């Protein structure tokens, strides 16, 4: 569904596209620099975007912190015509079970 200008809507690309993964990795790297942290990017869980003066990417991602997977929400503002990319927000929102069937290469059913 296409959103109104300024409205948040599902990202046009796949949530695990190269561009989305790149933005999520950027968010983790910027967070690590600002907070002197050692998070390791794992995967994108959800990707949405909002058209502003550029695009504000709303990302839900998994990162590994001290050997434990955790869920974070990040907002990355991009203005490609200005070669501008900035982390606007990065926050911890929850824990992930230690192992999931996908970690083990298993399928349910």
């Amino acid at each position: 569904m296409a959103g109104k200008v300024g409205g948040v809507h599902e990202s046009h690309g796949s949530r695990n596209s190269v561009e989305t993964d790149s933005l999520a990795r950027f968010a983790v790297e910027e967070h690590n620099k600002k907070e002197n942290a050692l998070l390791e990017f794992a995967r994108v869980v959800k990707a949405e975007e909002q058209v502003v003066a550029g695009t504000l990417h709303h990302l839900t991602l998994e990162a590994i912190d001290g050997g434990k997977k955790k869920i974070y929400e990040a907002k990355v503002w991009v203005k490609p015509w200005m070669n501008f990319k900035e982390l606007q927000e990065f926050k911890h929102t929850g824990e992930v079970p230690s192992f999931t069937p996908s970690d083990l290469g298993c399928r349910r059913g």
Side-chain angles (χ1 to χ4, degrees):
M1 172 173 114
K4 296 184 265 181
V5 172
V8 178
H9 57 277
E10 190 171 337
S11 184
H12 295 295
S14 162
R15 73 170 175 225
N16 288 313
S17 73
V18 172
E19 180 186 5
T20 302
D21 273 5
S22 175
L23 288 169
R25 287 178 192 281
F26 170 80
V28 171
E29 289 167 8
E30 288 297 299
H31 170 77
N32 284 345
K33 285 182 205 172
K34 288 180 183 178
E35 301 297 325
N36 197 24
L38 295 171
L39 297 181
E40 180 183 338
F41 171 75
R43 71 182 181 105
V44 173
V45 176
K46 182 178 176 183
E48 296 178 317
E49 56 189 39
Q50 178 180 11
V51 176
V52 290
T55 305
L56 186 60
H57 296 270
H58 297 249
L59 305 170
T60 303
L61 58 96
E62 277 182 17
I64 300 166
D65 181 15
K68 295 183 180 177
K69 283 186 180 178
K70 297 183 179 181
I71 300 289
Y72 296 87
E73 288 182 359
K75 292 181 183 176
V76 179
W77 185 18
V78 178
K79 294 189 267 185
W81 67 94
M82 295 177 67
N83 199 24
F84 173 89
K85 182 169 31 174
E86 182 177 272
L87 180 62
Q88 295 288 301
E89 183 178 303
F90 195 95
K91 63 183 179 181
H92 176 249
T93 59
E95 306 296 319
V96 176
S98 297
F99 291 100
T100 64
S102 63
D103 291 330
L104 303 173
C106 300
R107 285 196 226 167
R108 291 185 183 180

